[in-house]
Amino acid sequence: MPNLFVMHPDNRPKDESERAPRMEQLIKSLTEICEFAPRKICLENMTNEGMLYISSEAKIILDAVPSLYMTLDINHPLRQMPESYILDIGSRIKNVHVSDRDYDKECHYLPGKGVLDWDKIMSALCSIGYDGMLTY
């Protein structure tokens, strides 16, 4: 049996008025899922203005659901540097997807083939004590 499950939240709200109700429903659903699941549940951050696209939004969810963890897709936080996202979320990150990007969109380039500073990213992961897998 796997020791963690990765879930994608709802993607991008059609307009900003939908964001708060979606966050509220997401918290309710995740609370129920985490109470039911025998393993760790990791919620993945989405790209652009998708759910959890910035760490402050992820922190709201993580604070509301203490048994929830994060899958961080390094390629997804286009509005925030990944190393900042890592430092904000800290030890709640239990799974990391690695790929590089350009300045405008997720590209899923091999690490080092895009614009991300992998020394800063790896340093941030070390500083939070991350010892899990790096998945491409």
Side-chain angles (χ1 to χ4, degrees):
M1 167 89 51
N3 64 358
L4 63 85
F5 293 95
V6 176
M7 297 181 62
H8 281 196
D10 191 9
N11 203 3
R12 186 181 316 161
K14 291 180 181 37
D15 63 60
E16 212 44 42
S17 68
E18 292 182 356
R19 190 166 215 89
R22 286 185 185 204
M23 288 282 288
E24 189 176 315
Q25 184 56 51
L26 187 57
I27 289 168
K28 285 181 188 176
S29 296
L30 289 167
T31 298
E32 185 177 335
I33 290 167
C34 287
E35 288 171 359
F36 171 78
R39 304 285 190 245
K40 288 180 180 139
I41 302 295
C42 294
L43 190 63
E44 184 171 337
N45 59 314
M46 296 287 91
T47 190
N48 294 322
E49 284 79 31
M51 304 304 285
L52 288 68
Y53 77 107
I54 53 174
S55 61
S56 58
E57 193 168 86
K59 287 171 78 171
I60 291 168
I61 300 286
L62 292 168
D63 288 347
V65 188
S67 59
L68 181 67
Y69 296 94
M70 283 283 309
T71 287
L72 176 67
D73 190 320
I74 298 289
N75 196 7
H76 284 179
L78 299 175
R79 307 281 188 269
Q80 180 178 8
M81 296 310 294
E83 57 271 19
S84 169
Y85 202 110
I86 291 164
L87 295 173
D88 285 349
I89 301 303
S91 64
R92 301 289 288 276
I93 298 171
K94 297 297 180 195
N95 188 29
V96 177
H97 295 170
V98 295
S99 60
D100 218 323
R101 65 175 192 232
D102 64 16
Y103 284 106
D104 298 319
K105 60 188 176 305
E106 62 172 331
C107 300
H108 297 283
Y109 297 146
L110 286 171
K113 298 293 183 182
V115 299
L116 296 178
D117 187 330
W118 288 94
D119 288 336
K120 288 181 181 178
I121 291 167
M122 295 310 290
S123 177
L125 287 169
C126 286
S127 74
I128 66 162
Y130 183 75
D131 64 355
M133 303 278 294
L134 299 176
T135 306
Y136 176 75

